[in-house]
Amino acid sequence: MPSRLSACVTIAEVMALVFMLSSCGGAGVKSEAKPTMTPAMKPVDNRESSITAQPQQPSKKDRMIAQLLADAERAMTLSQYMTPVEDNAHDRYRAVMLIDPDNKEAAQGIRSIAQRYLSLAKALAERGQFGSARNFVSKARNIHPHIDGIASVEAAIQTLEKQNRQQPVELVSSGVDDNGEGKEVVALPVRALDQRSDVLKAQLQKLAVRVKNSDEFMLIVARNDTEGRWIYQEMKKAVPGYRLRGDIRRGKSPKIILEK
């Protein structure tokens, strides 16, 4: 069974075909001239003219375009819009445009990628991840500068970010832990944690600086391992090179317990 890569058209093959077509003025390879009939040549039997002509086989150019479009569609279904390198939809649609600049299917494919990035940007903004949202807007603009919807998505991001600032995330400290041992407990807001919001990231990093300065031990209580690792990694970003002393434990109520 051939591997998946063997069925894919490589960029090198595309460039070779583009070079060949440009060398031939876009007309393809010229066919050999047919010999003219001479008196000495035997005339064609009339019975041969009744044979039905065979359908013309697709050219190498047409076969390559069809394969590239099929590969691009496969990449789209896998959400491989621009990554991984040499196995994504965008590169294949662009390769088709190099061979056939007027190809409507490839042009629509590039528009579809830009539109999907805009949809992702809006979804991320609604979750409070404004930095990531703007990153996807930039990707959409780079792919298709004049795609419809860029201005409206940017406006939506600004509106959501303004609303988010009006309701800032504050890490509330209760002063004692559940056992009344006097350890400081910082509750983590569940909604902001679910959103992985930029405001919460800033609060966690601010807390990390305090932990570094006081050399406190911290216990991160999270609902699952992934959430706990995310909290720790966000705090680490604020104190590069410093090893935060602490541990991660599962619990129903997300929080950080600090102890000197």
Side-chain angles (χ1 to χ4, degrees):
M1 180 177 179
S3 65
R4 187 185 69 182
L5 290 178
S6 63
C8 297
V9 177
T10 65
I11 300 301
E13 291 175 317
V14 173
M15 297 306 297
L17 180 60
V18 171
F19 178 77
M20 181 187 73
L21 293 174
S22 62
S23 300
C24 299
V29 179
K30 295 181 179 179
S31 60
E32 296 181 1
K34 296 182 179 180
T36 57
M37 180 71 73
T38 64
M41 294 179 68
K42 181 179 178 180
V44 178
D45 192 330
N46 291 333
R47 289 174 297 178
E48 296 179 0
S49 62
S50 63
I51 300 176
T52 304
Q54 295 296 323
Q56 186 177 2
Q57 295 298 318
S59 66
K60 181 177 180 180
K61 170 185 172 181
D62 292 337
R63 292 197 304 272
M64 183 172 286
I65 288 176
Q67 184 63 62
L68 283 166
L69 291 173
D71 292 342
E73 184 62 29
R74 174 188 58 80
M76 290 289 284
T77 60
L78 296 174
S79 298
Q80 296 176 187
Y81 306 131
M82 294 187 72
T83 56
V85 177
E86 295 186 359
D87 190 15
N88 62 79
H90 180 260
D91 284 353
R92 290 190 168 89
Y93 285 134
R94 290 293 301 161
V96 172
M97 299 294 284
L98 284 174
I99 301 171
D100 179 13
D102 298 324
N103 190 284
K104 294 181 179 179
E105 189 171 348
Q108 178 56 46
I110 292 174
R111 283 194 296 271
S112 296
I113 294 174
Q115 288 167 346
R116 293 194 188 191
Y117 277 154
L118 289 178
S119 297
L120 287 170
K122 189 173 182 181
L124 286 166
E126 290 172 350
R127 292 168 54 185
Q129 299 179 33
F130 304 110
S132 297
R134 288 194 175 88
N135 182 44
F136 277 107
V137 171
S138 296
K139 287 184 177 182
R141 180 178 283 110
N142 290 337
I143 294 171
H144 200 302
H146 306 295
I147 189 71
D148 293 336
I150 287 182
S152 62
V153 171
E154 287 182 322
I157 292 173
Q158 291 177 356
T159 299
L160 289 168
E161 189 170 24
K162 183 178 180 181
Q163 293 173 352
N164 192 281
R165 287 173 179 169
Q166 291 173 348
Q167 298 177 343
V169 175
E170 294 292 341
L171 301 185
V172 180
S173 173
S174 66
V176 295
D177 67 0
D178 296 337
N179 298 321
E181 296 180 359
K183 300 174 185 177
E184 184 174 358
V185 179
V186 180
L188 301 178
V190 173
R191 184 171 180 272
L193 197 54
D194 288 339
Q195 294 176 339
R196 302 292 197 264
S197 75
D198 292 343
V199 179
L200 176 59
K201 291 178 185 178
Q203 293 289 338
L204 288 172
Q205 291 168 12
K206 181 179 178 181
L207 181 61
V209 173
R210 171 198 148 172
V211 170
K212 176 185 176 182
N213 293 335
S214 62
D215 197 30
E216 293 173 288
F217 178 89
M218 64 179 188
L219 175 62
I220 297 173
V221 179
R223 292 167 293 178
N224 53 65
D225 294 338
T226 301
E227 183 177 84
R229 287 193 297 270
W230 180 84
I231 294 170
Y232 182 79
Q233 291 299 327
E234 288 302 318
M235 295 181 73
K236 279 285 292 180
K237 291 178 182 178
V239 288
Y242 177 78
R243 183 177 180 274
L244 291 168
R245 298 189 305 118
D247 197 3
I248 300 174
R249 182 183 300 170
R250 288 190 182 186
K252 293 182 179 179
S253 301
K255 56 193 170 186
I256 298 175
I257 302 174
L258 302 173
E259 180 182 7
K260 289 187 176 180

